[in-house]
Amino acid sequence: MDLPAEDGAEAPQEGNPEAERPEGSQRPAGQWSGVEVGSWLAAHGGAAELAREHALTGRGLLRLTEGSLRRMGVAPRSRRRELLRELLRLRLQQEVQELRSIAGSCGAAEELRSIAGE
């Protein structure tokens, strides 16, 4: 199984972004190291060896597909599906965090404008 992960291919309590990160990680999943990806995979189906075998980083993790998981040797199909479900949850949490960050930045800018009398 020496197949590389697809280019550009990172949670236990649902709905809580902090709980989705590997222990001690404060970075977005797309910036995770292989060790952080391995921790996340270990908590979501025990596929931690994939991170090491395929030099998988957070960016790669977020881009995994059923086909790439199949080529990486993840079987059976039910295991791939469960992992993909968890990956989707992680992707959605990343999007929510980014949107909150954007909304927070916009709100701060509007607040500064109102203080400045614009």
Side-chain angles (χ1 to χ4, degrees):
M1 276 185 250
D2 294 329
L3 298 175
E6 290 184 355
D7 185 42
E10 304 127 50
Q13 292 179 351
E14 200 171 317
N16 180 354
E18 294 300 317
E20 296 296 320
R21 295 178 178 156
E23 191 173 325
S25 176
Q26 297 301 312
R27 298 182 299 156
Q31 296 175 5
W32 288 351
S33 69
V35 172
E36 290 167 308
V37 170
S39 294
W40 187 89
L41 287 168
H44 297 88
E49 69 279 0
L50 293 177
R52 183 180 35 78
E53 290 176 19
H54 299 282
L56 195 59
T57 63
R59 184 175 175 203
L61 177 69
L62 292 173
R63 292 185 175 180
L64 288 175
T65 64
E66 183 165 5
S68 59
L69 289 172
R70 186 176 52 251
R71 287 188 299 276
M72 294 170 90
V74 177
R77 184 175 186 223
S78 59
R79 185 173 180 212
R80 288 193 303 269
R81 293 290 187 166
E82 180 59 33
L83 190 52
L84 287 170
R85 241 186 317 276
E86 294 299 327
L87 282 167
L88 177 58
R89 184 174 291 127
L90 182 60
R91 288 179 193 124
L92 289 172
Q93 288 172 345
Q94 291 291 286
E95 291 292 328
V96 167
Q97 287 175 348
E98 288 175 23
L99 289 171
R100 284 183 179 155
S101 176
I102 291 168
S105 297
C106 292
E110 289 175 22
E111 185 176 313
L112 288 174
R113 279 191 218 110
S114 69
I115 291 171
E118 295 181 12

